[in-house]
Amino acid sequence: MARTQGSRAEITGPLLRDEARRLFARQGYAAVSMRQIAAAVGVQAGALYAYTTDKQALLFDLLETHMQDLLAAWRDDPLADPLARLHRFVDFHIGFSLDHPDAVFLSYMELRNLSPDNFARIADLRGRYEAALEDILRDGVAAGTMRIEDAKLTTLALIAMLTGVTNWYREGGRLDRARIMQIYWGLARGAVGA
Amino acid sequence: MARTQGSRAEITGPLLRDEARRLFARQGYAAVSMRQIAAAVGVQAGALYAYTTDKQALLFDLLETHMQDLLAAWRDDPLADPLARLHRFVDFHIGFSLDHPDAVFLSYMELRNLSPDNFARIADLRGRYEAALEDILRDGVAAGTMRIEDAKLTTLALIAMLTGVTNWYREGGRLDRARIMQIYWGLARGAVGA
DNA sequence: GTCTATAAATCGATAGAC
DNA sequence: GTCTATCGATTTATAGAC
């Protein structure tokens, strides 16, 4: 492959995604122009189209990659105690959300800007993640260590509660991450009647 | 005031807000054009500027009105049993959210599109609403009927959990509103250790 | 109050040089 | 791979007629 003057493909590619994610999360997909992203990357707008076919593909790639990373990072042990599995899920979800706050925000806010096909693919990935938590809750009920009225609703309620940390968490704030996880585990444990 | 041919001020004003709220919630503030709103209202784009100075003022008005309506609608009884007050809060928050899903969605998603001054005013209103719940939790701890590790975090966690219903609730779905409130009350009661 | 017409700026995306 | 330049469409907001 011939080397071209001024080429920085190795860093422009990842940087494009990083800056797009940050700007989309901060201002919203529709409010961010390709020129604005290009400026943050340090190239001219035309150069971006060597890395993405269009703006929509860029958004979908960010959301799909995030959901796949989330699913790949979660490792459950179906044979362990359901309460211990739930505790691990709480810590995992909070930790992953705080590690990727922009991606989490995007995945909730910009679904409406996806084409119907792209939306369906992201919704499917999200459904699989929710199913992971719902399995834990059903096992807990079966084991008699959890009291839950509706496993599906409790799943959605817990995820909404946990994801909410990204709305107010600030590095160096009043509580550190371990303490936050501890508090939310207390809330989740109580919510499932344990 | 002289009557003008074709004037429909009595309905255009409220309709403008209704359609703007609906479109902003569905597509996002930045993605909706004034022409699109005008078409939904049934006028030409220029006519909208008789009702709002610009697009930003329209968004702020929607958010501010919503937060003020929310605060005005919540009526607490500081002398009642804290658990009963929390139960009322759960029902109220879910009911209000399901009654105004677009406004709730907007108030979470479009804060970033407000000017700094406008943002501060909405954040202040939100803080007052959160304080209303936090008061209940602190009274519950003082009365010994709730066990809470951190009242502030528990407040934010509960509101995030309750607001989440707007993400999946559909009219005529598997569960009716009363049943949903019942399930969420069980979750909230457990979360506060009651 | 609403219309038509338009100003002025910005958008996404492409073409062609290097 | 990146640049400059630009096309064509669309945006917010305003001006002036009615």
Side-chain angles (χ1 to χ4, degrees):
Chain A
M1 185 82 72
R3 192 90 164 77
T4 310
Q5 195 179 31
S7 174
R8 304 189 312 161
E10 301 82 6
I11 60 175
T12 298
L15 194 54
L16 164 59
R17 284 189 170 108
D18 289 343
E19 295 299 336
R21 186 188 306 110
R22 185 178 62 84
L23 289 168
F24 286 165
R26 191 166 299 183
Q27 307 178 34
Y29 169 76
V32 176
S33 69
M34 294 298 272
R35 284 171 177 81
Q36 196 177 350
I37 298 171
V41 173
V43 297
Q44 293 300 316
L48 298 183
Y49 291 89
Y51 299 90
T52 184
T53 60
D54 54 26
K55 196 181 171 189
Q56 163 80 198
L58 181 56
L59 173 64
F60 175 70
D61 179 65
L62 289 174
L63 296 191
E64 186 186 37
T65 300
H66 168 66
M67 289 307 300
Q68 286 174 340
D69 288 350
L70 177 68
L71 280 167
W74 169 242
R75 284 284 164 263
D76 195 9
D77 176 8
L79 300 182
D81 167 49
L83 274 178
R85 289 163 66 198
L86 178 61
H87 193 166
R88 277 195 66 242
F89 184 91
V90 168
D91 285 356
F92 167 78
H93 189 87
I94 292 177
F96 198 91
S97 296
L98 293 184
D99 284 339
H100 310 93
D102 287 343
V104 169
F105 192 74
L106 269 189
S107 295
Y108 273 83
M109 306 286 272
E110 300 297 354
L111 292 175
R112 60 192 171 185
N113 280 312
L114 293 175
S115 67
D117 276 6
N118 286 345
F119 176 84
R121 294 172 64 182
I122 300 298
D124 173 68
L125 292 172
R126 169 170 300 182
R128 280 196 252 167
Y129 185 66
E130 292 168 356
L133 173 55
E134 195 173 335
D135 279 349
I136 296 175
L137 300 183
R138 293 193 187 282
D139 287 353
V141 170
T145 54
M146 299 182 190
R147 282 182 293 107
I148 292 173
E149 293 201 62
D150 189 289
K152 184 63 184 166
L153 243 65
T154 302
T155 295
L156 298 175
L158 287 178
I159 288 179
M161 181 180 82
L162 298 174
T163 304
V165 298
T166 59
N167 291 331
W168 51 261
Y169 177 79
R170 295 295 176 270
E171 198 78 33
R174 178 169 64 92
L175 305 167
D176 64 23
R177 291 165 64 130
R179 179 70 182 129
I180 290 168
M181 290 178 184
Q182 197 176 33
I183 292 169
Y184 272 83
W185 165 236
L187 294 171
R189 183 181 48 194
V192 301
Chain B
M1 187 83 74
R3 194 91 165 76
T4 309
Q5 194 178 33
S7 172
R8 305 190 312 161
E10 302 80 6
I11 60 174
T12 298
L15 194 55
L16 164 59
R17 285 191 171 105
D18 289 343
E19 296 297 337
R21 186 187 307 109
R22 186 177 61 84
L23 289 168
F24 286 164
R26 190 166 300 182
Q27 307 179 34
Y29 170 76
V32 177
S33 69
M34 295 296 273
R35 281 175 179 78
Q36 197 178 350
I37 298 171
V41 173
V43 297
Q44 294 300 315
L48 298 183
Y49 292 88
Y51 299 89
T52 183
T53 60
D54 54 25
K55 196 181 172 190
Q56 163 79 199
L58 180 56
L59 174 63
F60 176 70
D61 179 66
L62 289 174
L63 296 191
E64 186 186 37
T65 301
H66 169 65
M67 289 308 300
Q68 286 174 341
D69 288 350
L70 176 68
L71 279 167
W74 170 241
R75 284 285 165 263
D76 195 10
D77 176 7
L79 300 182
D81 168 49
L83 274 178
R85 290 162 66 197
L86 178 60
H87 193 165
R88 277 197 63 242
F89 185 91
V90 168
D91 285 356
F92 167 78
H93 189 87
I94 291 177
F96 198 91
S97 296
L98 293 184
D99 283 340
H100 309 93
D102 288 342
V104 169
F105 192 73
L106 270 189
S107 295
Y108 273 83
M109 307 290 264
E110 300 297 354
L111 292 175
R112 60 191 173 187
N113 280 312
L114 292 175
S115 66
D117 274 9
N118 285 345
F119 176 85
R121 293 173 65 180
I122 300 298
D124 173 68
L125 292 171
R126 171 171 298 182
R128 279 196 251 169
Y129 185 66
E130 292 169 357
L133 174 54
E134 195 173 335
D135 278 349
I136 296 175
L137 300 184
R138 293 193 188 281
D139 286 353
V141 171
T145 52
M146 298 182 191
R147 281 181 294 109
I148 292 174
E149 294 202 61
D150 189 291
K152 184 62 184 167
L153 241 65
T154 302
T155 295
L156 298 175
L158 287 178
I159 289 179
M161 181 180 83
L162 298 174
T163 305
V165 297
T166 58
N167 292 329
W168 51 261
Y169 177 80
R170 296 292 176 272
E171 198 77 34
R174 177 169 64 93
L175 304 167
D176 64 22
R177 291 166 64 128
R179 178 69 182 131
I180 291 168
M181 291 179 184
Q182 197 175 33
I183 292 169
Y184 272 83
W185 165 235
L187 294 171
R189 183 181 47 195
V192 301

